[in-house]
Amino acid sequence: MVSIDNFNFAGKKAFVRVDFNVPLDENFNITDDTRIRAALPTLKKILADGGSPVIGSHLGRPKGATDKFSLKHILKHVSELLGVDVQFATDCIGEEAAIKASALQPGEVLLLENLRFYAEEEGKPRGLAEDASEEEKKAAKKAVKESQKVFTKTLASYADCYVNDAFGTAHRAHASTALIADYFDTDHKMFGYLMEKEVKAVEKVMKDITRPFTAIMGGSKVSSKIEIIENLLDKVDNLIIAGGMTYTFTKAQGGKIGNSLVEDDKLDLALELIGKAKEKGVNLVLAVDAKIADSFSNDANTGFCPVNQIPEGWEGLDIGPGTEKIFAEVIEKSKTILWNGPTGVFEFENFTHGSRAVGEAIVKATASGAFSLVGGGDSVACVNKFGMADKVSYVSTGGGALLEAIEGKVLPGIAAIENKG
Ligand code: AMP
């Protein structure tokens, strides 16, 4: 496998899959350009070498070509950030794209229109009648898989090499994120800089672990985190459970949780996970106290109580000070840390204290040499809100992709570049 740093793009066209799926307001102004900025080092390296990037991306979840999801809305901003007048192909396949790609000179950039305007990008049939029979569904799937080959080959024909810098879609086996890699030999496909950083960060918590390894799993529901928790039980020394999940574990053990969030159909599962942790010698760390509220609101009356003695009419919306102390002690002794999900309803200012305390402990451990990875959703919002993003080792840009990686799944976008010749 080649690394982007060792590849010379001089005179070469590179198909670069980026994640420019940025939020736009009603006037199509970009409200957060983080994802575009994240791809700049890769694009700039290609340009500095004297190469020409052909950029492919998706935007939103269009069901066909629509103005709303056109990448033309971001063209000006991409040009400004790159310092190059970026050309635009109003369709990602077809004559215009082919002509513009082929005429591209060193130092020039072409942005293709939204790849998801075509069902072939995702390889899923569109427009099927709701009452379609199983046979019709099967035929439609087969048809789109067939035309996907042509679509993928067309995209590949624009370039001499392939660079994947879209970690956010690495868990999808789409045309431009994985299948396209087959059209390039091992020496002509590689990760971009962002993807490289993400892959390394995941390896540090999944393979190349320095112990003790502590994972902090917060968020709302056990059901959405089961696979992650089960996979982590084989890897971590300490597993801290926080957030709304707490109360399912507390109730399962016979505690009183008042009106707190609970998944009654997951009580057995919670007990099972407690048992598995014991079996595997994992230190499962649960909350001992809670910050409670008499309604689900920032302005609710609040109090603190043991996590298993929450009065009727009250609900746990964050961890309490005793829990903060226990969590911090475990985190500060760790050498590898993974944080996914807040300890409470951090969207309400009055229930951010626990998440902030966890963040502070992670920052402290990081300053003493621990590797810390934050990612997979709302914990990223937490570190940004608390101004801690540059005080942890790595903040992942990939929500779903990171979650699947820590579930232990192979990500097609990574495998396509790593494994195949
Ligand atoms: P997730 O997407 O599963 O990571 O969950 C994040 C969400 O969990 C955030 O919106 C939090 O507000 C929510 N959450 C965290 N703790 C609690 C709690 N104690 N009760 C209800 N929701 C919670």
Side-chain angles (χ1 to χ4, degrees), residues 40 44 47 76-86 107 109:
L40 292 179
K44 286 189 171 165
L47 288 170
K76 191 163 156 268
H77 195 60
V78 176
S79 296
E80 281 165 6
L81 290 177
L82 269 180
V84 173
D85 223 350
V86 175
V109 185

Side-chain angles (χ1 to χ4, degrees), residues 219-220 225 243-244 247 261 316-317 344-345 347 378:
S220 52
K225 307 270 160 116
Y247 311 100
L261 188 68
L317 294 189
V345 185
E347 296 93 334
D378 282 329

Side-chain angles (χ1 to χ4, degrees), residues 4-5 7 9 14-18 20 35-55 82 109 162-166 190-197:
I4 182 166
D5 247 347
F7 194 86
F9 290 92
F15 185 96
V16 191
R17 179 50 159 105
V18 297
F20 282 177
R35 287 180 174 156
I36 300 177
R37 287 180 188 276
L40 292 179
T42 294
L43 296 170
K44 286 189 171 165
K45 149 79 176 163
I46 297 169
L47 288 170
D49 277 1
S52 14
V54 176
I55 305 175
L82 269 180
V109 185
Y162 170 62
V163 181
N164 189 348
D165 214 15
M190 67 209 88
F191 297 139
Y193 286 117
L194 171 68
M195 188 84 158
E196 231 176 46
K197 278 197 279 183

Side-chain angles (χ1 to χ4, degrees), residues 221-421:
K221 293 183 173 170
V222 190
S223 51
S224 62
K225 307 270 160 116
I226 298 169
E227 284 170 73
I228 299 175
I229 294 177
E230 291 200 322
N231 189 41
L232 286 175
L233 282 176
D234 284 326
K235 302 195 185 292
V236 296
D237 302 290
N238 307 298
L239 179 61
I240 294 177
I241 300 276
M245 284 190 281
T246 307
Y247 311 100
T248 300
F249 281 86
T250 308
K251 184 167 177 184
Q253 291 173 292
K256 294 196 177 82
I257 59 163
N259 290 350
S260 304
L261 188 68
V262 67
E263 287 171 282
D264 279 317
D265 60 335
K266 295 287 176 291
L267 297 178
D268 288 344
L269 176 78
L271 291 179
E272 220 176 273
L273 291 172
I274 292 172
K276 273 192 189 163
K278 230 180 233 156
E279 246 169 62
K280 292 175 193 278
V282 171
N283 176 29
L284 186 70
V285 191
L286 294 163
V288 294
D289 57 357
K291 182 166 186 182
I292 55 172
D294 61 358
S295 70
F296 189 81
S297 135
N298 188 47
D299 306 322
N301 293 308
T302 63
F304 294 99
C305 73
V307 73
N308 56 2
Q309 288 171 39
I310 300 176
E312 275 313 314
W314 292 73
E315 58 193 300
L317 294 189
D318 198 6
I319 53 173
T323 308
E324 281 180 14
K325 198 160 163 264
I326 294 170
F327 285 3
E329 271 169 18
V330 173
I331 293 167
E332 283 169 28
K333 281 189 208 133
S334 306
K335 286 285 167 239
T336 303
I337 301 161
L338 169 67
W339 184 19
N340 169 262
T343 66
V345 185
F346 80 105
E347 296 93 334
F348 296 155
E349 210 45 54
N350 289 331
F351 302 95
T352 55
H353 205 274
S355 299
R356 190 186 289 275
V358 162
E360 277 165 2
I362 296 174
V363 166
K364 214 164 162 187
T366 310
S368 314
F371 174 81
S372 52
L373 168 60
V374 180
D378 282 329
S379 33
V380 174
C382 282
V383 290
N384 286 332
K385 184 176 172 136
F386 304 146
M388 295 172 181
D390 56 352
K391 297 188 185 104
V392 298
S393 308
Y394 195 70
V395 181
S396 176
T397 59
L402 183 80
L403 291 180
E404 289 202 14
I406 59 181
E407 278 171 12
K409 290 188 182 142
V410 173
L411 306 190
I414 293 176
I417 286 181
E418 276 185 343
N419 301 337
K420 293 183 195 165

